[in-house]
Amino acid sequence: SRVMEEEDCAALLQAVNKKAFTPALVNVGCDRQVLRPEVRDGHRVIVDSTDLAAWLLEVIRPHLPRELEGFSLIDLNERCRFLCYTPGQCFEEHMNGCYRRQ
């Protein structure tokens, strides 16, 4: 089944495309990021928006578990990261860092 309807996808793309996609950087620790196209050569846009995160959660909530490993789903992180890869681009296997709310 579809996670998002076509009109939801169009609304999300419209919201995300208000900012420009830029080459996706790699986190190297100590709040530093570097361009490493041999490791990650896609593009990214970061949108910090509690409204967008709340809307996205409502759209995808029916496809998510209410609870996972004893934790309840409350909200989505307001730092929304959207990535774009064209054929031939990749991001090598990795572990994600974390974002802490201020």
Side-chain angles (χ1 to χ4, degrees):
S1 73
R2 286 185 180 170
V3 174
M4 294 181 77
E5 296 299 322
E6 195 171 320
E7 57 272 5
D8 291 329
C9 287
L12 180 58
L13 285 171
Q14 183 178 21
V16 169
N17 283 325
K18 289 179 182 176
K19 292 183 76 174
F21 278 82
T22 58
L25 303 177
V26 175
N27 290 320
V28 293
C30 299
D31 291 324
R32 292 184 32 242
Q33 297 182 31
V34 295
L35 182 61
R36 301 254 332 259
E38 72 281 4
V39 174
R40 180 182 204 174
D41 62 352
H43 289 82
R44 170 178 72 185
V45 64
I46 298 174
V47 180
D48 291 311
S49 171
T50 54
D51 290 341
L52 180 59
W55 173 83
L56 187 55
L57 177 58
E58 292 314 306
V59 170
I60 65 174
R61 186 184 292 275
H63 305 279
L64 300 173
R66 291 177 190 226
E67 194 174 283
L68 183 64
E69 297 179 5
F71 293 95
S72 297
L73 176 61
I74 297 171
D75 60 12
L76 293 180
N77 185 326
E78 66 274 8
R79 173 150 288 178
C80 302
R81 298 169 183 93
F82 299 93
L83 295 135
C84 177
Y85 293 94
T86 57
Q89 291 182 315
C90 68
F91 187 10
E92 298 295 328
E93 186 174 325
H94 65 284
M95 297 284 291
N96 282 337
C98 66
Y99 167 73
R100 298 190 199 287
R101 287 185 170 129
Q102 299 299 321

